[in-house]
Amino acid sequence: MSEQNKAANKATAPETILTGIKPTDHVHVGNYLGAIRPGLELVSQFRHSLLFIADYHALTTVQDPKELRDYTLSLAAAWIACGLDPKQTIIYRQSDVPEIFELAWVLSCVTPKGLLNRAHAYKAKLQENEAEGREDLDYGVSMGLFSYPVLMAADILLFNTDVVPVGEDQVQHVEIARDIAQKFNRIFGELIRLPKALVKTEKVVPGLDGRKMSKSYGNHIPLFLESKALRKLVMKIKTDSTPPEAPKNTKDSILFDLYKEFAAPAEIEALTARYANGVGWGEVKELLFQAIDRHFSESSRRYHELMGRPAEIEAILRDGAARARKLATPFMVNVRAAVRGGDRDTIAAHGARGKS
Ligand code: ADP
Ligand code: TRP
C-alpha cells in the first residue's frame, strides 16, 4: 500500500461515535446491561465520543417540565455514576445546542415528505388509528412525532459522526439520516459525512416476570435502589415450584441469567454446580440480590451524591454543550455558506469524508 493510501486509510478510519438517549423515565437494569455498559466499553475505541440527552425528542411525549428536567438530570447522573468520564466523552443536553435545530430546518427542506411517511413510528401510529376505526388516521400525530427522524438526522450529521450505536429499532432512523445527508450533498456539495448504525447484538435482559425487562411492562429493577428495596424486588422474581433438592437447569432461569451479569466467574461456576445438585430458589435470590447490590454499591453512592447536587450535573451538561457547540460552529458556518452563499470556514476541522 502506498504512503498516500495509508494516509487516506487513516483519515477514513471511524473516529467519532455519537448516541442520544431520550429522558423518558428513570433507568433500569435492562438499560444498564443493554445500553450503558456496552456504550461505555465502545467509547475508548474512538477518538471523539459524544453522548447526549435527547430532551427535545422526549418532548413528543413528556410534556411536564418538572418531569423532563428530573429525567434529564437522572439520566446524566446515571451515566456518570456508571463510569462515563465527562472529560473524555462530551455529554450534553440536546436543547442546549441550538445549531442542531437550525440544521434540522435546513435538512427538512431537502427531505422528501414520503421518506418520513415510511418511518416506523409514524406508520405504527397510523396503523393504530386504523385499527381503532378512526376516520382521521393522523389523529394524535404531532409535527414533532412526524419530523422526529429529521431532528435525529441533525443530531447525528452536525458532528460528522461515523458510528451511531443504537438498538435494532433505531436503525431505520440512522438510514434516514444517511439518505438525507446524501440528498444534501447532491444539492449543495459534499459537506456532510455519512454515518453508519452500529447495532449492539443485544441480549434481552429478562424482567421480574421473565418477559423483556421494560418500564412499559412494569417488570423492571430500577438502578440505584436502596438495598432493602432492591432485596424486596429480587425476591419477587418469578420462579417455578421445583423443590430445593431437585437438580435445576441454568438455561431458562431468569435468576441465573441475571446473576451471570453481575457475579465473578468463580461465583458463576459455583452456582452452576449448585443448580446441578439442587438449590432452593430463595437462596439463589439472596445470592443474586447480593451480587447486584455489590455491583452497584459504588455507582449508587455516586449517583445519589450527584442527584443531591443538581447544579453540578447542570454544570457538566453546560460544559459539554459548550464543547459540542465548538465543534458545531464551524460546521454550521459551512452549511450556511453552502445553502445561502458566502464564505466557508476554511479552517473548519471537520468535513465530509466521502461516501463511506
Ligand atoms: P424501556 O423498554 O424500559 O422503555 P428503552 O426503550 O427506553 O427501555 O431503552 C433504552 C435503552 O436500553 C435501549 O438502548 C434499549 O435497547 C436498552 N434496553 C431496554 N430494555 C432492555 C432489556 N430488557 N434488555 C436489553 N436492553 C434493553
Ligand atoms: N431516537 C432515539 C431513541 O428513541 C434517541 C435519539 C435521538 C438518538 N437522537 C439520536 C440516538 C441520535 C442516536 C443518535 O432511542
Side-chain angles (χ1 to χ4, degrees):
M1 194 188 285
S2 73
E3 283 310 308
Q4 207 177 358
N5 278 350
K6 268 189 209 159
N9 256 8
K10 201 170 173 198
T12 52
E15 59 171 40
T16 301
I17 184 167
L18 168 145
T19 200
I21 309 148
K22 274 194 298 182
T24 48
D25 212 321
H26 296 289
V27 289
H28 55 70
V29 167
N31 302 142
Y32 173 76
L33 295 174
I36 300 182
R37 194 160 75 176
L40 291 174
E41 281 162 11
L42 272 174
V43 158
S44 58
Q45 300 167 23
F46 289 81
R47 204 138 77 92
H48 303 293
S49 57
L50 297 99
L51 176 92
F52 69 95
I53 318 288
D55 60 338
Y56 272 15
H57 270 118
L59 195 55
T60 56
T61 53
V62 182
Q63 302 192 337
D64 173 332
K66 196 185 158 305
E67 245 181 28
L68 191 59
R69 178 166 188 264
D70 190 31
Y71 293 152
T72 299
L73 296 186
S74 168
L75 195 52
W79 276 82
I80 296 166
C82 289
L84 180 137
D85 175 1
K87 284 197 210 76
Q88 187 189 14
T89 298
I90 303 182
I91 178 169
Y92 57 98
R93 190 192 232 143
Q94 181 188 34
S95 59
D96 280 336
V97 181
E99 289 79 5
I100 296 170
F101 308 100
E102 181 183 350
L103 182 61
W105 175 259
V106 173
L107 297 179
S108 76
C109 294
V110 300
T111 304
K113 176 171 176 285
L115 186 63
L116 301 187
N117 285 342
R118 292 191 288 277
H120 295 321
Y122 175 61
K123 267 171 63 179
K125 197 77 190 169
L126 295 188
Q127 276 159 10
E128 190 187 308
N129 284 331
E130 195 172 11
E132 286 177 16
R134 290 205 173 91
E135 212 169 291
D136 176 10
L137 292 186
D138 278 330
Y139 177 83
V141 177
S142 65
M143 280 308 295
L145 172 76
F146 184 70
S147 49
Y148 187 109
V150 180
L151 182 55
M152 182 154 160
D155 290 330
I156 297 168
L157 303 178
L158 182 61
F159 297 101
N160 278 307
T161 304
D162 296 288
V163 174
V164 188
V166 280
E168 194 66 53
D169 61 317
Q170 295 297 316
V171 172
Q172 190 199 30
H173 285 151
V174 181
E175 277 162 8
I176 292 177
R178 256 181 101 87
D179 287 350
I180 298 177
Q182 277 169 322
K183 187 81 190 293
F184 179 99
N185 287 347
R186 266 202 305 277
I187 302 173
F188 297 110
E190 295 284 325
L191 183 64
I192 304 185
R193 195 178 301 172
L194 306 185
K196 276 202 182 109
L198 175 73
V199 181
K200 306 155 274 168
T201 34
E202 211 166 76
K203 47 185 176 308
V204 171
V205 180
L208 300 179
D209 58 1
R211 291 185 293 172
K212 174 186 181 242
M213 185 181 291
S214 172
K215 274 136 2 195
S216 38
Y217 295 146
N219 63 354
H220 58 295
I221 304 176
L223 284 196
F224 315 128
L225 283 180
E226 298 298 332
S227 299
K228 219 171 132 190
L230 174 65
R231 189 169 188 282
K232 217 168 145 188
L233 263 191
V234 170
M235 293 301 153
K236 280 194 188 152
I237 295 176
K238 197 170 124 191
T239 46
D240 59 23
S241 51
T242 349
E245 62 283 4
K248 296 179 173 61
N249 199 339
T250 54
K251 292 204 176 62
D252 309 318
S253 165
I254 312 171
L255 293 175
F256 193 83
D257 277 350
L258 287 170
Y259 187 73
K260 67 183 185 329
E261 298 293 343
F262 299 108
E267 293 173 315
I268 299 171
E269 215 175 290
L271 189 63
T272 308
R274 299 283 322 269
Y275 264 61
N277 296 329
V279 60
W281 291 134
E283 207 181 317
V284 183
K285 285 179 179 177
E286 186 58 37
L287 287 173
L288 175 61
F289 154 69
Q290 283 171 16
I292 301 180
D293 198 42
R294 182 187 63 201
H295 184 89
F296 289 108
S297 70
E298 181 52 30
S299 45
S300 186
R301 190 191 57 72
R302 180 126 177 77
Y303 170 83
H304 289 292
E305 201 179 275
L306 271 168
M307 286 303 279
R309 283 180 286 155
E312 193 174 311
I313 310 173
E314 293 276 12
I316 292 172
L317 292 177
R318 267 202 310 278
D319 177 63
R323 286 159 65 204
R325 294 191 71 187
K326 250 196 190 140
L327 296 175
T329 301
F331 183 80
M332 281 313 293
V333 167
N334 288 345
V335 167
R336 283 183 214 116
V339 302
R340 66 182 195 191
D343 290 337
R344 289 197 175 194
D345 180 343
T346 49
I347 53 159
H350 286 244
R353 281 233 216 88
K355 306 174 173 75
S356 62

